[in-house]
Amino acid sequence: MLNLQLGIRHAVGKQGPITLDLKSSAFDPKEKVWTRFPPEGSKYTPPHSSCDFKWKDYCPQVFRTLRKLFKVDAADYMLSLCGDQALRELSSPGKSGSFFYLTSNDQYMIKTMKKSEVKIFLKMIRAYYNHVRSFENTLVTKFFGLHCVKLAGANQKKVRFVIMGNLFCSDYSIHRRFDLKGSSLGRTTDKPQTEIDEYTTLKDLDLNFIFRLQKHWHQEFLRQVDKDCEFLEQENIMDYSLLVGVHFRDKRNILASEGKMKNENNLNF
């Protein structure tokens, strides 16, 4: 974690001129920058209490521009990821075997990635950039950085990870969260009803709500879902979900959600 935070502080601190019209070379998968972090420090890196390690930034100019597109303040970003508060490790909610870490303010999530996953991501980075630039209200995950840490030594493994936005960071408490795939096969939680809480990831067959949206919101929502699905289809991505967080203004509806929903108008969505 210390290596990760040192690397991020170094990478974000090197802010240069930002232009939205990036050159093709910026999206090249080979576009990466290695930096060595010796414990005693160097001309470019501070001294630190960790061991000797190398830090890699993938497509740094692209992610710097993405952070601007997503209106991320560089100082806040660095403070969230590199402040005194430790990152929290989460148990993996999926089957990928990845490790997940959350910042103390819940704003950013860090996910470890396999080499093969990094290759696929870099292959689609230009299309991803063009999509989020074209659709300000995209529901596709916001990615802010792709990095790698390698400890000094011949047999040390590389740890690759991506930094992304946490959808469930909200001014409202999230009382129920759903991972929806539009499928019914195996799409129910394996937890008994009494153990379900606000941190349980529920699935398609667990969804017992009707969401009523204003006509304009409904049309815009469906239009954006269609555009996002078209993008994922073009990139040959088929394993994706729609994440939904539900906040109950009346906490009595938490109990109602376990049976029949009685007051549909009390849902903030």
Side-chain angles (χ1 to χ4, degrees):
M1 284 299 99
L2 176 58
N3 295 348
L4 183 153
Q5 291 174 320
L6 284 165
I8 290 171
R9 193 178 291 126
H10 172 76
V12 177
K14 289 195 309 181
Q15 288 287 1
I18 297 176
T19 173
L20 298 182
D21 297 313
L22 298 173
K23 295 179 180 177
S24 295
S25 58
F27 299 97
D28 190 331
K30 295 177 182 176
E31 182 70 14
K32 44 197 154 186
V33 179
W34 275 107
T35 305
R36 184 172 165 243
F37 280 77
E40 66 276 11
S42 70
K43 183 179 177 181
Y44 305 103
T45 62
H48 58 85
S49 57
S50 184
C51 55
D52 194 348
F53 72 94
K54 280 185 172 182
W55 168 266
K56 185 197 286 188
D57 265 330
Y58 295 92
C59 298
Q61 195 177 358
V62 175
F63 286 104
R64 192 182 304 139
T65 310
L66 282 171
R67 292 194 293 270
K68 181 180 180 181
L69 274 176
F70 294 139
K71 299 179 174 59
V72 173
D73 179 80
D76 288 343
Y77 182 71
M78 208 174 341
L79 192 61
S80 296
L81 291 159
C82 310
D84 294 333
Q85 299 282 350
L87 299 171
R88 306 199 309 274
E89 184 175 342
L90 306 176
S91 57
S92 173
K95 300 175 183 176
S96 65
S98 297
F99 290 97
F100 289 81
Y101 300 90
L102 199 61
T103 57
S104 59
N105 60 4
D106 290 344
Q107 214 167 344
Y108 303 104
M109 189 174 282
I110 297 168
K111 175 191 175 186
T112 60
M113 298 180 78
K114 299 173 185 173
K115 184 177 181 179
S116 57
E117 293 173 326
V118 171
K119 281 186 173 181
I120 291 169
F121 187 31
L122 289 174
K123 203 177 286 185
M124 62 181 285
I125 191 70
R126 183 200 292 267
Y128 172 80
Y129 177 83
N130 291 335
H131 182 77
V132 299
R133 186 179 174 187
S134 300
F135 300 102
E136 185 181 0
N137 296 319
T138 179
L139 302 172
V140 173
T141 303
K142 294 179 179 179
F143 294 105
F144 304 114
L146 183 62
H147 312 284
C148 175
V149 168
K150 182 181 184 298
L151 301 184
N155 299 317
Q156 295 289 350
K157 288 183 179 179
K158 294 177 181 176
V159 179
R160 302 167 182 86
F161 58 92
V162 65
I163 301 171
M164 51 193 179
N166 176 22
L167 171 73
F168 295 125
C169 179
S170 168
D171 292 335
Y172 295 100
S173 299
I174 302 299
H175 297 124
R176 289 292 180 268
R177 55 189 72 199
F178 295 87
D179 179 301
L180 307 176
K181 289 186 181 291
S183 169
S184 59
L185 184 62
R187 300 301 295 163
T188 183
T189 183
D190 52 6
K191 276 190 173 184
Q193 200 73 49
T194 52
E195 292 181 19
I196 291 175
D197 60 18
E198 63 268 30
Y199 300 108
T200 304
T201 301
L202 301 167
K203 300 177 184 178
D204 300 67
L205 296 180
D206 302 311
L207 185 64
N208 57 350
F209 304 129
I210 295 173
F211 297 104
R212 301 192 184 278
L213 304 178
Q214 292 179 20
K215 185 176 180 180
H216 172 69
W217 289 3
H218 180 255
Q219 290 172 341
E220 283 297 304
F221 175 70
L222 291 184
R223 186 184 74 87
Q224 191 58 62
V225 167
D226 284 343
K227 291 294 182 185
D228 289 342
C229 288
E230 282 175 20
F231 159 67
L232 294 166
E233 185 180 343
Q234 287 166 7
E235 296 305 309
N236 298 315
I237 305 294
M238 61 176 289
D239 186 12
Y240 53 88
S241 307
L242 177 68
L243 299 182
V244 177
V246 178
H247 167 79
F248 298 109
R249 288 191 292 188
D250 185 345
K251 289 192 176 179
R252 287 174 296 180
N253 284 330
I254 297 176
L255 297 174
S257 73
E258 295 170 0
K260 208 170 185 180
M261 193 63 211
K262 294 178 182 175
N263 191 344
E264 293 161 358
N265 292 326
N266 275 349
L267 286 177
N268 276 342
F269 175 53

